[in-house]
Amino acid sequence: MNRFAELLDAIAFESSRNGKLRLISAYFREAPDPDRGYALAAMTGTLDFAHAKPALIRTLISERTDPVLFALSYDYVGDLSETVALMWPADARQVDAPRLGEVVATLSHTGKTQLPKVLAGLLDRLDEKGRWALLKLITGSLRIGVSARLAKTALAANAGIAVNEIEEIWPGLSPPFTDLFAWIEGGERPEVSDPAPFRPVMLAHAIEERDFEALSPQEFHAEWKWDGIRVQAVAGTGENGARVARLYSRTGEDISGAFPELAQALCEERFGDCAVDGELLVMQDGKVQSFAMLQQRLNRKAVTPKLIVDYPAHIRAYDLLAEQGDDLRSLTFAARRERLTAFIGRLEHPRFDLSPLLSFESWEDLAASRAQPADFDTGENAQAIEGVMIKRSDSPYVPGRPKGLWFKWKRDPFNIDAVLMYAQRGHGKRSSYYSDYTFGVWRSGESGEELVPVGKAYFGFTDEELKQLDKFVRENTTNRFGPVREVAYGQTQGLVLEVAFEGVQNSPRHKSGVAMRFPRISRIRWDKPAGEADRLETLAALVGTRK
Amino acid sequence: MSSPLLALTPEGLFCPAGGFHIDPVRPVARALITHGHSDHARPGHHAVLATDETLGIMAIRCGETFAREKQAASYGEAIQLGDVRVSFHPAGHVLGSAQILIQGKHHGRQTRIVISGDYKRQRDPTCLPFEVVRCDIFITEATFGLPVFRHPDTRHEMERLLASHKLFPERTHLVGAYSLGKAQRVAAILRETGYDRPIYLHGAVDRLMEFYRTRGIDFGELRKVSASDRSKLAGEIVLCPPSAISDLWSRKFPEPVAAFASGWMRIRARARQRGVELPLVISDHADWDDLTATIIETGCSEVWVTHGEADALVHWAQTRQLRAQPLHMLGYGDEEETTEDGAEAMS
């Protein structure tokens, strides 16, 4: 457990993705079974053991320390698990620190009444980091910036295989994954007989205007890019004849629990054995709703009936990967599309429909569709269109992001001119740079014109521009708050940034009342006086609209 | 006679019967200095009494003319000043650091007062270990005076640095370490763990390293970092002042790993706020367990807490039936913290 805690501690401080990968890979090489398997489970959210409420932790520490000293310490540290881990009175020499495997085994057999005693016994045998990691795990508040995908990637790196190969068999595996580790280290590939397996997803490259010259429109299909989340809906029948249905995110995470109405639909016999690649959307009265509506349904383990009624989920199908035992992935897009059209037609299910193809003779035709989707039979749904997808008609379904097969051509973003107000130091490679920028626009305040912060951006600029911005911040600092600097701004001074973004939402949490989606710095307007930057009304008028 | 042996004045602690201040924050006629950190050893006093090493460090940091009269005190030697006797005893904090024992009349009674200065109990190959001096009144710091501060074994922290060094051989490890005491201790313990590559030094760390060397402490091969070779120091360990790890200076190194050796690194939020990627819990100060153990070992009946997290330590002492009071002295603190803004402003 102490070794695993060292890993969690190190990745929590490591800011680069590559650095995290190497730390995790090294751990998987060095740690024994079943510890590393449970570690993988903890990082992929598949670890299942008793949970403890913060109140229990407080009780345990209050039985062991002076309440005044605890209160002063908690106030200073500001985090319950960390305070308790540091203060826990334990012998400095851990003669017999429990391994992660033992901790998991113990906790999975522990009932509620026994938990305080068992947990205290484990804490007594761990060092400070071990106690911290255990308390974070058991209170379900471990936040270390590692996705399930990253953990699997680290594992794949050890074997020199593609992460997709792990994702393909992942749903059939369970902690402590000894068969998976054996395979990684040169053994047999685990046999998984999952009636509804995940198939690693095929992704597209962003296309630029100049790329079109080399591409012939006749060799491509095109369709709308819908603004939801990419999912894979899979249905099958188990050995015992029971229907199995799963909805996967594009990284292979099982999100069926959050969308029971779709899982239920997939269980119907008419779906047979199938794997549909599509966009998950919220649809009301035949109209695709905004991404903000879909967000109400995301990141939930369970949902209320009210949510299902208020935000009905829908799948708009892009592709068919398997049908009735046939793996269709090696067919061409055109051939798969024919199978998909027939399949969706046969289904006649209100929660499933087909993403329509766009007809075009030239790239100019397609550009027109992209610029004005409302003119092309999309009606009110035009707001939910992010751009167009361009797919080679002869492309097989290749996991990952293969070159030259699929392209995404997003609609142009919105732009505003905003004034730089605050800058914060970045992390990792950027820790010596002021690289996170808070910017504001003008509004009429009680005491005249004032700038109100509307967003924060930390990318979009080149390395050279970063140097210039950093220099500007250092030379124009008016105030310091820890790692944050306030810079000079006003009617006659300040730096104007052109900010690109995808949309605006009302947000009572923000002082300005609006929140921008996906803002980034598109240009530094050294030439523009701050007094001529945009106004809040301009931004507010864009709420809910789409360019 | 009911005058105190020690009194608190705006300049700092003052001994009326001996006519001297201890670590005064403003210029005074006669100052006794516990150690060379800039919050304790300030220039401009008329006469200074300190250990020979502390006098040497003050000369380097404040210039040879830091005081008109300088007198060196040997550890354990009794010196009569007015009506009191003083002696210096190792504090284990940095090279030359001392506790000061004052013996004289306190409200009419013969009393032993020990001013610990800053001290630590952990092993440090670069200075003499802390010596317990029995006393009636113990005046202690409380930089890490909360029970969350429990420093791990320094060798263990150094092994974490070496593990990271092994895992990321193409990156430079920048270790922020205060230039007096911390940098030398880190270098010495690195050598003890068997690290045999040259250790690179930021210019601000170099002079005091050299001073320690003249006092017989061996660090193996040390090299100064020059502007031109920063980009070539992949796989090396560089010691620099804490402010430099997030400074413009750090940019030229190949993918630097920002490490910071400090007791504050025990608290995750602190480490994160400083943009540290490899926090090393290595401190010059006593941790909670050592602060409380030391108070008991001195056999004192009264504790005064000069600076730091005084409330918790005073509370603890009172639960042990000791008289205890916080002095809330300003101007002292961890030097790493107090000099940060100054260093930042110059960058």
Side-chain angles (χ1 to χ4, degrees), chain A residues 149 152 163-171 198 200 251-252:
Chain A
R149 171 93 177 172
K152 292 173 202 164
V163 62
N164 294 325
E165 292 200 47
I166 292 177
E167 293 205 320
E168 195 143 334
I169 58 167
W170 181 259
F198 173 68
T251 55

Side-chain angles (χ1 to χ4, degrees), chain B residues 70-84:
Chain B
K70 300 160 202 167
Q71 184 186 345
S74 305
Y75 287 120
E77 171 200 5
I79 299 167
Q80 190 73 31
L81 292 173
D83 295 335
V84 304

Side-chain angles (χ1 to χ4, degrees), chain A residues 470-531:
Chain A
D470 178 74
K471 188 161 179 281
F472 176 85
V473 171
R474 289 172 188 273
E475 288 172 357
N476 291 277
T477 301
T478 55
N479 238 326
R480 292 157 196 242
F481 314 93
V484 177
R485 289 190 181 195
E486 185 170 13
V487 299
Y489 53 80
Q491 288 286 352
T492 56
Q493 56 178 354
L495 180 61
V496 176
L497 302 172
E498 184 183 297
V499 180
F501 56 102
E502 298 302 315
V504 189
Q505 290 163 20
N506 285 319
S507 168
R509 285 192 302 125
H510 292 84
K511 196 174 160 189
S512 61
V514 294
M516 297 159 80
R517 190 157 167 223
F518 205 44
R520 65 268 187 192
I521 310 290
S522 61
R523 216 152 39 117
I524 309 172
R525 296 294 305 268
W526 299 105
D527 56 311
K528 188 159 187 168

Side-chain angles (χ1 to χ4, degrees), chain A residues 5-193:
Chain A
E6 286 274 356
L7 170 71
L8 291 184
D9 187 62
I11 48 188
F13 284 108
E14 176 61 57
S15 52
S16 92
R17 181 176 179 276
N18 186 32
K20 286 182 203 234
L21 277 175
R22 289 186 28 204
L23 287 164
I24 301 170
S25 288
Y27 172 80
F28 285 148
R29 282 195 303 273
E30 292 158 17
D33 290 322
D35 295 356
R36 55 185 180 174
Y38 288 119
L40 178 59
M43 288 185 276
T44 53
T46 51
L47 193 60
D48 190 20
F49 63 46
H51 276 267
K53 293 226 158 63
L56 168 63
I57 315 290
R58 281 173 183 272
T59 307
L60 289 178
I61 195 72
S62 70
E63 289 164 2
R64 285 164 176 79
T65 54
D66 178 304
V68 174
L69 294 181
F70 173 72
L72 286 168
S73 297
Y74 184 28
D75 184 53
Y76 186 91
V77 176
D79 179 284
L80 181 67
S81 298
E82 191 175 342
T83 311
V84 172
L86 289 167
M87 278 189 82
W88 191 266
D91 194 320
R93 296 162 289 128
Q94 291 85 32
V95 276
D96 157 40
R99 310 202 61 89
L100 179 59
E102 184 197 332
V103 171
V104 174
T106 306
L107 289 173
S108 59
H109 296 126
T110 303
K112 209 173 172 187
T113 48
Q114 288 298 309
L115 185 60
K117 194 164 163 261
V118 169
L119 179 58
L122 288 170
L123 291 171
D124 281 340
R125 292 162 57 203
L126 290 164
D127 68 9
E128 176 274 320
K129 286 196 182 110
R131 293 190 293 263
W132 168 75
L134 176 56
L135 289 168
K136 285 286 177 190
L137 279 176
I138 205 165
T139 54
S141 55
L142 186 66
R143 311 231 191 292
I144 47 169
V146 172
S147 64
R149 171 93 177 172
L150 192 74
K152 292 173 202 164
T153 306
L155 189 57
N158 281 351
I161 61 172
V163 62
N164 294 325
E165 292 200 47
I166 292 177
E167 293 205 320
E168 195 143 334
I169 58 167
W170 181 259
L173 305 174
S174 59
F177 305 108
T178 30
D179 47 353
L180 174 61
F181 281 97
W183 175 45
I184 294 297
E185 288 170 353
E188 289 285 304
R189 185 172 193 265
E191 279 296 320
V192 292
S193 54

Side-chain angles (χ1 to χ4, degrees), chain A residues 270-305:
Chain A
R270 56 176 144 170
F271 282 84
D273 287 0
C274 71
V276 178
D277 179 337
E279 196 83 8
L280 177 63
L281 302 165
V282 165
M283 289 266 277
Q284 276 173 348
D285 307 326
K287 188 192 164 194
V288 180
Q289 303 299 308
S290 72
F291 189 78
M293 299 273 272
L294 177 59
Q295 268 178 323
Q296 304 297 321
R297 295 284 309 262
L298 299 179
N299 300 321
R300 289 172 189 274
K301 284 233 161 75
V303 284
T304 60

Side-chain angles (χ1 to χ4, degrees), chain A residues 222-342:
Chain A
E223 60 189 320
W224 299 119
K225 184 177 190 320
W226 297 95
D227 190 11
I229 63 165
R230 184 87 178 276
V231 291
Q232 195 176 103
V234 190
T237 305
E239 282 169 17
N240 57 3
R243 294 287 293 159
V244 179
R246 290 209 192 88
L247 193 64
Y248 295 106
S249 73
R250 74 177 217 190
T251 55
E253 197 188 337
D254 185 348
I255 54 169
S256 318
F259 299 93
E261 73 268 49
L262 291 173
Q264 208 178 348
L266 286 162
C267 280
E268 291 173 26
E269 288 296 338
R270 56 176 144 170
F271 282 84
D273 287 0
C274 71
V276 178
D277 179 337
E279 196 83 8
L280 177 63
L281 302 165
V282 165
M283 289 266 277
Q284 276 173 348
D285 307 326
K287 188 192 164 194
V288 180
Q289 303 299 308
S290 72
F291 189 78
M293 299 273 272
L294 177 59
Q295 268 178 323
Q296 304 297 321
R297 295 284 309 262
L298 299 179
N299 300 321
R300 289 172 189 274
K301 284 233 161 75
V303 284
T304 60
K306 185 172 182 334
L307 276 174
I308 296 176
V309 174
D310 290 351
Y311 306 102
H314 183 92
I315 287 178
R316 184 147 287 176
Y318 292 136
D319 215 323
L320 190 62
L321 313 185
E323 189 190 14
Q324 299 310 107
D326 293 344
D327 187 340
L328 310 182
R329 288 177 290 178
S330 57
L331 302 183
T332 64
F333 177 80
R336 292 197 309 276
R337 175 78 197 186
E338 269 181 39
R339 297 277 294 254
L340 176 70
T341 310

Side-chain angles (χ1 to χ4, degrees), chain B residues 47-99:
Chain B
V48 166
L49 173 61
T51 62
D52 187 46
E53 291 88 347
T54 299
L55 292 176
I57 289 164
M58 289 181 78
I60 289 174
R61 308 188 103 192
C62 314
E64 289 290 344
T65 57
F66 68 89
R68 290 275 183 80
E69 294 170 24
K70 300 160 202 167
Q71 184 186 345
S74 305
Y75 287 120
E77 171 200 5
I79 299 167
Q80 190 73 31
L81 292 173
D83 295 335
V84 304
R85 268 160 58 122
V86 300
S87 52
F88 287 63
H89 304 269
H93 179 57
V94 297
L95 183 64
S97 67
Q99 314 170 68

